[in-house]
Amino acid sequence: MPKVNVIKKVKASLRGFLRKHLNVESASEHYFIKNFNKSSIIVDIGSGRGQFINMMVEMYPYSQFILIEPNPDSAKVLSQEFKTNTNVKILAAAVGARSEKSVSFYLSETFQFDSLDKSLSDLGGVRKDRSEVTVRMITLRDVFSIFNLQKIDFLKIDAEGAELDILENFSSYDFEMISQISCEFHDFLKPSLRKEVEECIHNLQSLGYSFVCDGTDFMFGSPYFNCLFYDKKRIKWSIAPRWLSANYLQYLTKKAGIA
């Protein structure tokens, strides 16, 4: 049996165990630990057309949701979708390393590739019309001030390369304010980002987050496709979640003599 198929089967088996016996769940490829109630605040940076947040709202209808999406068309779709839901707030803006009144944002033929980075946007197909728009850009700290937040229980980031800018200045202050982060890193699309991704992961771990990840074989591949960072002092998880780690799964297959 090919090695990649064995790894996929082991991953699927372990995910099933975790979902059955622990508080781990996923929505649209983003892992999180089920630790939410009506006072929980869930922030979604890079909401797209709402695939992830629709699943979350269905699972946790009484939690508070903040959606931040830079694509003006996608933001309008979200506003229409949640116009009667008072638990959902929507902001049309990009999130990055600094606050700017106007920055270029690149629209792809495939909206999932929309990005502040034109080279990433182009991978989804170059649009012949309206391929570039100007949008407001804010920082993670701005999110706290704009919405008057004292905490974030779950932060989801899917920002097509901007995740490194968003997390660039992440500090002990941010660690105390955010219980768990699900982040999709995009070095699988742009391998030159790998070193920065690993430095970012190391920084988050050094601040106190525990870390698990799942990889992808898409495009250039990466072990850091779907990453969950969580503070185990604030979130109870009874069994070491390293079993989700792509690196640990590869270790298991080698130990079993499969590799």
Side-chain angles (χ1 to χ4, degrees):
M1 181 182 293
K3 175 177 150 182
V4 64
N5 290 334
V6 171
I7 292 176
K8 286 180 179 178
K9 286 188 175 183
V10 174
K11 286 182 181 180
S13 176
L14 289 174
R15 288 183 193 130
F17 173 82
L18 289 166
R19 290 193 180 108
K20 182 177 180 180
H21 298 286
L22 306 177
N23 281 333
V24 68
E25 189 53 271
S26 68
S28 188
E29 299 184 332
H30 286 272
Y31 289 116
F32 57 91
I33 299 172
K34 296 182 288 186
N35 197 48
F36 308 133
N37 53 47
K38 65 181 181 181
S39 67
S40 295
I41 297 172
I42 297 168
V43 176
D44 182 5
I45 296 177
S47 302
R49 298 294 169 89
Q51 182 180 3
F52 167 79
I53 209 64
N54 270 296
M55 297 173 69
M56 293 296 286
V57 168
E58 183 176 349
M59 287 188 282
Y60 306 103
Y62 302 109
S63 293
Q64 305 299 308
F65 298 90
I66 295 171
L67 318 185
I68 305 173
E69 170 57 41
N71 181 325
D73 296 332
S74 296
K76 288 179 182 177
V77 170
L78 294 170
S79 295
Q80 184 64 27
E81 177 77 20
F82 297 106
K83 65 181 180 180
T84 62
N85 191 329
T86 57
N87 289 337
V88 178
K89 298 177 181 178
I90 300 165
L91 177 64
V95 184
R98 62 191 184 279
S99 301
E100 294 280 354
K101 290 183 178 180
S102 179
V103 297
S104 293
F105 185 75
Y106 302 97
L107 305 181
S108 173
E109 283 285 343
T110 309
F111 74 86
Q112 291 92 340
F113 285 80
D114 294 345
S115 178
L116 289 166
D117 184 334
K118 189 177 186 302
S119 67
L120 291 179
S121 174
D122 287 350
L123 293 174
V126 180
R127 285 178 54 157
K128 295 179 180 179
D129 63 318
R130 200 167 172 253
S131 61
E132 180 180 346
V133 294
T134 55
V135 301
R136 174 189 180 191
M137 186 164 73
I138 62 174
T139 66
L140 183 57
R141 291 286 179 88
D142 290 332
V143 175
F144 279 94
S145 59
I146 290 169
F147 294 99
N148 194 28
L149 302 180
Q150 303 303 314
K151 63 166 185 172
I152 294 177
D153 295 284
F154 179 65
L155 173 64
K156 171 255 183 185
I157 305 175
D158 189 353
E160 301 308 312
E163 63 276 0
L164 294 170
D165 291 331
I166 295 169
L167 297 172
E168 179 181 12
N169 298 314
F170 204 93
S171 67
S172 57
Y173 172 85
D174 302 298
F175 170 74
E176 294 298 330
M177 301 288 279
I178 303 174
S179 296
Q180 52 178 318
I181 304 168
S182 176
C183 183
E184 180 179 305
F185 290 105
H186 289 80
D187 53 312
F188 69 96
L189 296 179
K190 194 172 182 178
S192 61
L193 296 175
R194 180 67 54 81
K195 183 179 180 181
E196 290 180 69
V197 168
E198 292 178 339
E199 289 174 351
C200 179
I201 291 171
H202 176 73
N203 179 55
L204 292 173
Q205 288 181 294
S206 69
L207 291 171
Y209 285 112
S210 293
F211 164 66
V212 292
C213 67
D214 196 8
T216 181
D217 298 320
F218 182 62
M219 292 290 285
F220 296 98
S222 172
Y224 308 118
F225 175 65
N226 178 4
C227 297
L228 173 64
F229 303 88
Y230 69 99
D231 178 9
K232 61 185 178 182
K233 293 180 180 178
R234 285 177 280 182
I235 299 174
K236 294 181 179 179
W237 201 352
S238 58
I239 297 179
R242 66 177 182 173
W243 289 357
L244 258 177
S245 166
N247 295 332
Y248 190 67
L249 289 168
Q250 290 171 6
Y251 163 76
L252 287 178
T253 58
K254 288 181 180 179
K255 188 175 182 181
I258 299 171

